[in-house]
Amino acid sequence: PPSDAEAAYRNRKKGHSMNFQVVVNASMKIMDICARFTGSCHDSFVLHQSGMYRLFSSGRIRRGWLLRDHGYPLKEWLMTPVVNPATDAHKLYNSAHINCFRCLDRSGGELLVQARESL
């Protein structure tokens, strides 16, 4: 990182990084990438600054959802897991949420592998 902005690139694990958001569909096709924030920026900040947030918030995207973890507010289009699931329905929802989220992890891992191979 540039020496005059080194602190901005320091993430919560004390390493230097960029924070980027990748939106994929269920087939792992990349639909959107937001890659302009330093590692010190929280994921929710990146989401709120992204074009996808504006498209969903304004209603320009009416069908579909974004999946995030419990650190995000629940919105019609932003699905988060149920904290302390008490019913079978909540547990089933959380299981489905986790399985979909794994798709995101795989796509992010594949993106990093491809980036490393192109260097």
Side-chain angles (χ1 to χ4, degrees), residues 28-48:
M28 295 178 34
K29 178 182 176 188
I30 295 173
M31 306 303 289
D32 186 65
I33 297 176
C34 182
R36 59 182 176 185
F37 295 99
T38 60
S40 65
C41 293
H42 191 274
D43 293 349
S44 62
F45 175 81
V46 175
L47 172 64
H48 280 85

Side-chain angles (χ1 to χ4, degrees), residues 2 10-11 13 16 19 21 27-28 40 42-43 47-48 50 59 80-81 90 93 112 115 119:
R10 192 172 302 126
N11 60 37
K13 295 178 182 178
H16 296 101
N19 192 349
Q21 170 184 282
S27 300
M28 295 178 34
S40 65
H42 191 274
D43 293 349
L47 172 64
H48 280 85
S50 72
T80 62
H90 287 165
Y93 168 80
L112 290 173
L119 293 177

